[in-house]
Amino acid sequence: MRVGRNPDRTRTWKARILTTASTVLCLSFVPGCWDMRELNNRALVISSAIDMTDDGRICLTDQFAIPSALGQQGAGDPKKRFYTLSETGDTVQEAAQVLQTRQPRYIFIGHRRNIFFGEPTARQGLAHLLDEFTRNPESRLRTDVAVVDGRPGSDALKVPSIVEKLPSIAALKSRSVVGGGQPGSAFVDFLIASDNETSCPTMPLVKIVEQPEDYVAGSPSAQIAFVGRAVFNTQLKMVGKIDYEETVYRFWEMGRLTHQTFSVRLPGKEHSVSVYVNHMKSKILPVIRGHHLYVTVKMDGDGSLNESDASMDYMKPEPVKTVEDALDKKVADSVQHLISRVQQEYHTDIFNFDGATHNRYPFLWPSLEKEWKDLFTDATITVQAHVHIRTVGQTGLPLHHVTV
Amino acid sequence: MRRWSDKSKQKIRHSVRENQQYLNPVFANLSDVVQRKISISGTMECLAVYLDGLVNVQLLDNVIIKSLLNTKTTGRKSVKDRVLDACRAAGKTITTTDRPVAVDAVLDAKLVLFVDGLNEAFIVEMKAWASRSIEEPASETVIRGPREGFVETLRTNTSILRRKLKSRDFKMERIVIGQLSKTEVVLCYIEGIVNPDVLREVRERVSRIQIDAVVSSHYIEEFIEDSPYSPYPQVQNTERPDVVVAAVTEGKVAILMDGDPFALIVPMTFWSGFQAAEDYYERFLYASAIRWLRFILLNMSIFLTPLYVALTTYEPQMLPTNLILSFAAAREPSPFPTVVEAFLMEFVFEGLREAGVRLPKAVGSAVSIVGALVLGQAAVDAGLVDAPIVIMVALGGIASFATPRYNFGISYRLLRFPVLFLAGVFGLLGIAFAFLAILIHQVNLRSFGTPYMTPVAPIVLPSIQDAMARIPRWGLNKRPILTAGRNRTRVPAGQKPGPRK
């Protein structure tokens, strides 16, 4: 077409534009989902806590950010940056709905970073509580979950953070600092583990720690500290805890830890050394013989000697060997001890032995799966650990070496 | 016209007086037409007619009249030959016996000489008029590279081009358009390299223009583009001779016009909107990076504010928590919905830009200070708008200025208003819809038969590199396939420099 001189053509063309425009305009009113909501009409839930009341109802506590207190200066009183509201209901949604009646803004849980469960609640079992967090599309699966050690979950929402804008962001950050990366504390990891018939989920265990020696201007100092992990059985009832050190060994054993510092006391001497270990690797080798499970766990890592109070010349190989041996023994013993404790006390496979066995015996697995709890409890575990110390720093003897 | 219908009346008479009687009514009220009667040696009566200021009068005095005076009145040469000799010394000369031709010649800035006793007029080309000197073009500056720019005089421009391309294949076709303006338009191309189909199309589209006067090259652009309703420019314009030379060596056609320093280049592709002349004068790695930067900024200029509106009002869960907390803190005192704020600020920004462009420089800076500092800062402080929206609008505005082609940038700036509306009504869905609509329009556009998104859509393999990155000269062996004609090789391969050579 050279020139648009054909009047018919021009008319149809204009008519088409008009039709399209009016259709689009009309259609925009049809769906009726103008879900536009301004930020200052939303109440941002940063954390939630779920507890069971004595009469068996669900108590939902939401922690809301106060945006105006989080402004550019941001240096307001840490206690005044958030507030919490609690309500009870038969379901989480019901509690939330009652809560909404006291909240002038739309409750928005798209940015919920933490969900805390009180220890008593966790021991009663979480199975009936979790549905809302997975079914509701607004709730994010990458939120963090934690069990509050010995206290109701709502207590954890009332601890202000001194440096972070909001306490739950602090909890999130400290988790990745002490954990060396992202060792599964996200809700989604818990769900993946609980989805499995054989493996048992765990959840971070936090504790509200108050140290009288701390100095914080104006307010009593309390922090949410990571103290280990809560161990659940397959019915999602909390059966026990492992402490922080055990947690570290467990993550190493599962190959989810990248670096960590270990301190070890040298045998026969009153000396201690600290070794920073990275390139941590682990291998789980299960063997089924008869109706018995033998598991060999091989753990490797590269170490660098960071601190030593012994007057030894680490430029020579023997002292390094001494340290390596002591460290290997400590790691192996600790892991061995941890596994046997979990075997005997909790009977829960939280070490991914099931996954390793499944991979090793894909055809045998369906029959093993049914009796896995017994197989795991009776399994014979061998742990071999080796840390190869590669660097000892620039000095052989300590610089302040005192000749004895 | 009717007056000239009588054939005998159109002929030039022997008598100068008679011719003058004819000319006087024709040139009535044309105060810039000079009719000078010159008497040479008392024997020869001449009438020189020309437009004041457009003819080199010094040549008339010093060459034509002087040589007529010096030649002997009696000799073997006829009067006509003597006058012709004198005129030819001054410039290209033709003779005519038609009065209308003579009149047109006068209006075309030529000297017309009537000589008593000859029924012919001598038309001498000795144009000379005041012209702007060659300067660096203000619209396309470079740090490194040629600094000359086109001027309003066509012949100056063609001379600049000819100096850069001394080949007889470099053609300059002349077309005159405009009943009143009679503007000279020149099509520049290189025969053998130009795509003959494109050239034919350009020639046809330019020739068919019927208009009273052509004032700027944009008049031509509006007549020859493929989709006049599109927001996108489909004809590239430039003030730089080097850009024109680069384009014609790629097989494109340049359209120059008398009276406008801007040359038009067709066909234009989307990607040439990101290419500045500077790209080809800097190291290619840097130029490639800058091209990507421009592409990202161009998309920011259209999608940044809408994205902010859609994300904060529809999908706040998609932003990092700390970011949403900052946005929420800034948003707290705002009285209007975000999308209304965005429209308001975009409106103010466009207003400021317009005020800054039209005002004299001295006042312009005052406007920008008042606009940026007083309006922006005070509006945020007063809690009328929130700070992030000011940041987004300002960023988007700056991003649109990062496009080297001004007309390309403004087409995008206009598009952000509908996109913003869609974002405000449908959220991310609206943005996706707008993005698709824009994309569909872009791939449907054509410029003189060349798809607008070439070489990316359709993918043209050897040429795609030059759209994605600035390929070093020794690696750019082939001309773009869709624009260039038969002669494809541009740089023979194997010229990558290295120490062995």
Side-chain angles (χ1 to χ4, degrees):
Chain A
M1 226 244 343
R2 286 281 163 268
V3 192
R5 292 280 154 77
N6 184 345
D8 279 347
R9 209 190 152 101
T10 320
R11 204 175 302 135
T12 50
W13 187 83
K14 277 183 180 163
R16 209 189 305 157
I17 289 257
L18 211 69
T19 321
T20 316
S22 46
T23 313
V24 168
L25 206 69
C26 293
L27 276 178
S28 68
F29 293 98
V30 171
C33 68
W34 285 38
D35 52 355
M36 182 168 92
R37 231 159 251 167
E38 295 296 335
L39 272 182
N40 48 5
N41 273 330
R42 290 189 199 254
L44 298 173
V45 177
I46 304 298
S47 288
S48 291
I50 306 283
D51 293 301
M52 297 300 292
T53 59
D54 294 335
D55 52 352
R57 283 162 69 84
I58 295 168
C59 174
L60 169 75
T61 308
D62 277 345
Q63 184 186 54
F64 298 96
I66 305 176
S68 54
L70 297 169
Q72 294 93 329
Q73 59 271 38
D77 189 346
K79 290 179 198 161
K80 290 181 182 163
R81 294 181 200 152
F82 66 93
Y83 60 101
T84 66
L85 299 177
S86 295
E87 279 301 341
T88 53
D90 285 334
T91 63
V92 178
Q93 285 274 298
E94 190 191 348
Q97 211 163 9
V98 181
L99 218 158
Q100 179 74 77
T101 58
R102 292 199 283 138
Q103 172 60 269
R105 298 180 175 190
Y106 294 99
I107 294 176
F108 177 65
I109 56 173
H111 272 285
R112 181 161 58 192
R113 309 306 299 264
N114 272 308
I115 301 168
F116 292 105
F117 299 99
E119 190 184 332
T121 312
R123 288 206 183 264
Q124 286 175 45
L126 299 179
H128 62 296
L129 295 172
L130 295 179
D131 190 63
E132 200 266 344
F133 303 112
T134 50
R135 200 181 294 278
N136 188 348
E138 274 198 10
S139 180
R140 52 205 263 165
L141 290 180
R142 295 214 43 90
T143 180
D144 274 22
V145 285
V147 171
V148 181
D149 189 27
R151 294 170 76 164
S154 57
D155 283 7
L157 301 189
K158 293 163 191 160
V159 183
S161 169
I162 301 150
V163 285
E164 296 301 332
K165 277 183 182 172
L166 290 167
S168 43
I169 294 170
L172 204 72
K173 276 189 165 180
S174 62
R175 185 258 292 175
S176 58
V177 170
V178 297
Q182 299 271 321
S185 51
F187 186 40
V188 63
D189 293 300
F190 183 83
L191 290 174
I192 291 168
S194 62
D195 183 48
N196 200 321
E197 284 292 305
T198 49
S199 64
C200 295
T202 63
M203 218 185 246
L205 187 69
V206 297
K207 194 172 183 178
I208 299 157
V209 178
E210 285 179 58
Q211 286 278 18
E213 299 96 69
D214 290 350
Y215 163 74
V216 177
S219 53
S221 135
Q223 278 91 34
I224 297 176
F226 277 83
V227 292
R229 287 185 89 82
V231 179
F232 287 78
N233 61 13
T234 44
Q235 281 77 48
L236 300 189
K237 281 188 179 161
M238 180 175 161
V239 288
K241 339 174 174 173
I242 55 176
D243 67 17
Y244 181 72
E245 210 184 327
E246 287 171 325
T247 307
V248 167
Y249 287 124
R250 172 174 169 266
F251 277 134
W252 187 356
E253 182 271 333
M254 292 176 79
R256 297 182 70 164
L257 202 63
T258 54
H259 58 88
Q260 192 73 33
T261 299
F262 294 91
S263 298
V264 66
R265 196 164 276 254
L266 297 180
K269 296 167 190 157
E270 291 298 300
H271 290 305
S272 298
V273 291
S274 283
V275 180
Y276 170 83
V277 183
N278 60 4
H279 299 149
M280 296 169 121
K281 286 185 198 78
S282 108
K283 217 174 208 176
I284 302 166
L285 302 165
V287 176
I288 299 276
R289 217 169 275 147
H291 265 291
H292 198 75
L293 173 70
Y294 299 86
V295 180
T296 309
V297 179
K298 285 185 176 169
M299 295 156 75
D300 295 292
D302 292 341
S304 62
L305 191 71
N306 276 358
E307 189 182 342
S308 161
D309 63 357
S311 291
M312 294 203 286
D313 184 1
Y314 291 108
M315 288 298 175
K316 292 177 182 137
E318 296 83 25
V320 176
K321 186 87 176 65
T322 316
V323 173
E324 278 183 359
D325 287 346
L327 189 59
D328 292 351
K329 188 170 183 314
K330 182 187 175 181
V331 171
D333 288 352
S334 307
V335 175
Q336 186 91 50
H337 178 256
L338 167 68
I339 295 175
S340 56
R341 186 166 81 85
V342 172
Q343 273 177 312
Q344 278 139 37
E345 285 180 28
Y346 309 140
H347 318 290
T348 55
D349 181 5
I350 57 171
F351 301 105
N352 198 27
F353 290 164
D354 58 334
T357 314
H358 190 172
N359 285 354
R360 179 83 192 270
Y361 300 101
F363 299 110
L364 211 55
W365 179 247
S367 63
L368 297 177
E369 197 177 4
K370 291 177 197 104
E371 49 192 67
W372 184 253
K373 193 174 175 181
D374 298 330
L375 270 175
F376 169 76
T377 309
D378 301 333
T380 309
I381 313 290
T382 322
V383 181
Q384 297 167 1
H386 184 61
V387 174
H388 184 81
I389 292 180
R390 297 194 180 272
T391 57
V392 294
Q394 292 292 311
T395 57
L397 287 165
L399 284 181
H400 57 271
H401 174 60
V402 190
T403 321
V404 185
Chain B
M1 286 275 202
R2 208 182 300 133
R3 209 168 15 179
W4 296 340
S5 57
D6 186 356
K7 274 229 166 155
S8 67
K9 270 193 175 175
Q10 294 185 6
K11 291 292 172 203
I12 291 172
R13 304 296 167 84
H14 283 85
S15 151
V16 164
R17 205 162 49 82
E18 253 180 275
N19 286 330
Q20 203 173 9
Q21 273 169 2
Y22 163 76
L23 289 176
N24 276 338
V26 173
F27 291 137
N29 291 336
L30 265 70
S31 59
D32 55 342
V33 172
V34 179
Q35 299 189 33
R36 245 171 87 185
K37 247 191 182 163
I38 309 159
S39 176
I40 297 166
S41 318
T43 58
M44 195 193 276
E45 195 87 334
C46 293
L47 178 69
V49 189
Y50 57 87
L51 285 173
D52 198 11
L54 294 181
V55 165
N56 193 335
V57 184
Q58 277 182 326
L59 269 182
L60 172 67
D61 291 345
N62 294 345
V63 179
I64 299 180
I65 298 179
K66 223 176 216 175
S67 59
L68 281 176
L69 276 171
N70 288 350
T71 49
K72 287 169 190 158
T73 40
T74 54
R76 278 187 294 119
K77 273 189 174 173
S78 67
V79 176
K80 184 188 169 185
D81 284 344
R82 279 168 49 208
V83 177
L84 258 180
D85 283 349
C87 289
R88 279 181 181 147
K92 183 183 155 197
T93 307
I94 52 168
T95 60
T96 181
T97 55
D98 283 347
R99 277 169 168 174
V101 174
V103 168
D104 281 351
V106 169
L107 293 173
D108 198 22
K110 284 164 186 159
L111 174 84
V112 178
L113 203 65
F114 298 92
V115 180
D116 211 19
L118 292 178
N119 61 345
E120 276 177 302
F122 300 85
I123 300 171
V124 193
E125 216 165 297
M126 34 197 269
K127 291 178 188 172
W129 55 70
S131 159
R132 191 164 62 92
S133 62
I134 296 174
E135 289 162 15
E136 183 172 13
S139 65
E140 294 160 90
T141 48
V142 292
I143 308 288
R144 181 181 169 183
R147 294 201 186 275
E148 56 188 354
F150 286 136
V151 292
E152 282 77 359
T153 320
L154 177 69
R155 283 303 154 201
T156 313
N157 296 347
T158 54
S159 72
I160 297 173
L161 289 178
R162 182 60 72 185
R163 235 173 36 228
K164 288 172 186 278
L165 285 171
K166 302 177 193 77
S167 160
R168 69 195 174 92
D169 287 335
F170 179 44
K171 309 286 186 192
M172 295 190 182
E173 256 181 59
R174 183 171 175 272
I175 298 173
V176 175
I177 49 177
Q179 287 106 328
L180 290 177
S181 66
K182 303 222 167 55
T183 311
E184 210 178 328
V185 174
V186 167
L187 308 184
C188 302
Y189 57 90
I190 299 177
E191 202 167 70
I193 292 177
V194 72
N195 186 336
D197 299 331
V198 172
L199 177 63
R200 200 179 317 122
E201 190 65 36
V202 175
R203 203 181 280 145
E204 192 193 321
R205 287 192 197 178
V206 173
S207 320
R208 73 164 182 238
I209 299 174
Q210 291 174 9
I211 192 176
D212 49 355
V214 183
V215 175
S216 131
S217 60
H218 192 257
Y219 283 47
I220 301 174
E221 185 179 331
E222 283 192 10
F223 276 107
I224 62 172
E225 58 189 359
D226 289 61
S227 309
Y229 290 106
S230 167
Y232 290 100
Q234 297 136 59
V235 177
Q236 187 184 333
N237 64 65
T238 183
E239 260 187 290
R240 300 184 58 89
D242 49 334
V243 172
V244 169
V245 169
V248 294
T249 53
E250 276 188 356
K252 294 180 178 174
V253 182
I255 304 166
L256 271 71
M257 158 198 153
D258 197 24
D260 192 344
F262 281 90
L264 304 177
I265 297 171
V266 291
M268 182 196 183
T269 64
F270 178 78
W271 308 100
S272 57
F274 302 112
Q275 298 174 356
E278 182 90 41
D279 290 5
Y280 293 94
Y281 309 140
E282 289 295 347
R283 296 190 69 76
F284 72 94
L285 282 176
Y286 168 77
S288 306
I290 291 297
R291 247 178 220 184
W292 277 99
L293 180 86
R294 289 192 199 119
F295 184 69
I296 293 164
L297 284 177
L298 189 78
N299 284 310
M300 264 173 69
S301 78
I302 180 165
F303 288 119
L304 190 69
T305 320
L307 263 181
Y308 173 78
V309 169
L311 285 180
T312 56
T313 56
Y314 285 90
E315 332 277 349
Q317 65 270 28
M318 286 181 75
L319 294 168
T321 304
N322 276 327
L323 191 63
I324 206 76
L325 286 176
S326 299
F327 283 161
R331 173 80 215 146
E332 207 54 25
S334 306
F336 302 115
T338 313
V339 61
V340 174
E341 268 184 6
F343 265 113
L344 216 69
M345 287 318 289
E346 292 281 4
F347 184 78
V348 169
F349 180 85
E350 291 298 312
L352 279 173
R353 187 195 52 78
E354 188 58 23
V357 169
R358 301 290 156 231
L359 280 177
K361 262 183 193 154
V363 194
S365 61
V367 166
S368 54
I369 289 169
V370 169
L373 295 180
V374 179
L375 270 181
Q377 187 67 35
V380 172
D381 283 349
L384 293 179
V385 292
D386 56 56
I389 205 84
V390 176
I391 295 168
M392 299 300 156
V393 169
L395 255 177
I398 290 164
S400 76
F401 289 130
T403 317
R405 310 246 168 261
Y406 180 71
N407 58 346
F408 199 65
I410 52 179
S411 67
Y412 258 89
R413 235 198 346 261
L414 196 69
L415 279 177
R416 69 212 279 214
F417 285 96
V419 178
L420 189 56
F421 174 77
L422 284 172
V425 175
F426 297 110
L428 276 186
L429 212 65
I431 292 180
F433 175 75
F435 180 76
L436 277 179
I438 290 171
L439 209 62
I440 289 170
H441 176 65
Q442 281 179 350
V443 294
N444 274 327
L445 264 187
R446 268 156 198 283
S447 172
F448 287 83
T450 308
Y452 200 53
M453 299 297 280
T454 345
V456 173
I459 292 178
V460 180
L461 272 182
S463 322
I464 200 168
Q465 326 163 358
D466 198 41
M468 300 279 111
R470 208 283 264 166
I471 304 300
R473 296 244 76 93
W474 41 262
L476 207 59
N477 305 116
K478 297 277 181 212
R479 299 200 164 87
I481 280 178
L482 283 181
T483 51
R486 298 184 309 279
N487 186 350
R488 290 276 157 75
T489 306
R490 173 192 248 169
V491 176
Q495 292 192 78
K496 182 187 172 193
R500 293 252 171 84
K501 285 201 172 172

